[in-house]
Amino acid sequence: MPVSRNLAGTVFVGGAATLTLAALAYPTMLGVQTTSSAQTRVITDTQWGPLTEGDRDFVVKVRAAGLWEYPLGEIALKKGSTPAMREAGKHLIVGHARLDELDRKVAVQLNITLPNQASPQQQQFVATSAALSGKEFDRTAANILRVTHGSIFSVIAKVRANTNNSLVRELADLANDTVLDHITMMEKTGTIDFPSVLAQQSAPPTLPKDQLTPPAPQPGAPVVVLTPRPDLKVNTNSPTPSPTVG
């Protein structure tokens, strides 16, 4: 299936989207002005276990993901041209509202500053998709989301396996369920260009760090809350695989 020109110009430029979450650095947390490459370095000891740079970055990455995927889910709910795409939008909204609620609680307990905006690259993902309509919207949004979710899936597993902080483990468990559900829903749209997506998941990023980093929140600004939608009756814990080709 061909990838739209808009998609090729945003997601598939040198694999830039592959580290939408996996390579974010957020230097304003806990008074740290630069982000070390030593992700296992312990920043502080907490009652829930030591907090490493990798743990801290993961909490921020989860937040940043919700800040662009939730609004894109709202757009998909309105602009999706098929029931499958609109259903995927519901899962994005419900999944990230739930994940964001836990993420904000964990951040308070661990004294981690969270962004109120997604990174410039992530904001462009939303703008690019929102400018389209019909099948082109479906194809573009679903492939962007499949690339980004696929690239973070293994990162979550690594965090879950290596963290010694019980709050981060809890967050990783929920993030794993949510991401797997969203991957499954994107695949159910029937629009995924698997050869391109799978290649881009492992390609190195080419965008500068400032495009991959969410801006720091303004001092005193209220925390942006991803509003729960109990009216959307979907289960984001137990995804159902797409039918097997016989």
Side-chain angles (χ1 to χ4, degrees), residues 8 54-55 62 77 79 93 103 111 129 149 151 156 160 162-163 177 185 188 201 206 213 221 237:
D55 294 334
V62 170
L77 196 56
K79 299 187 71 171
I93 295 169
D103 190 64
N111 194 29
S129 300
H149 283 79
S151 65
I156 296 171
R160 179 61 179 83
N162 294 331
T163 185
D177 283 355
M185 296 309 298
K188 284 185 174 182
Q201 284 176 184
T206 59
T213 306
N237 276 340

Side-chain angles (χ1 to χ4, degrees), residues 77-101:
L77 196 56
K78 297 175 181 178
K79 299 187 71 171
S81 69
T82 65
M85 191 65 204
R86 293 190 292 273
E87 185 70 12
K90 293 180 183 179
H91 281 246
L92 290 169
I93 295 169
V94 172
H96 277 292
R98 183 182 179 193
L99 187 57
D100 188 70
E101 181 180 19

Side-chain angles (χ1 to χ4, degrees), residues 183-204:
I183 286 175
T184 305
M185 296 309 298
M186 293 311 120
E187 292 172 349
K188 284 185 174 182
T189 66
T191 66
I192 303 303
D193 180 355
F194 281 99
S196 294
V197 165
L198 298 178
Q200 294 305 315
Q201 284 176 184
S202 58

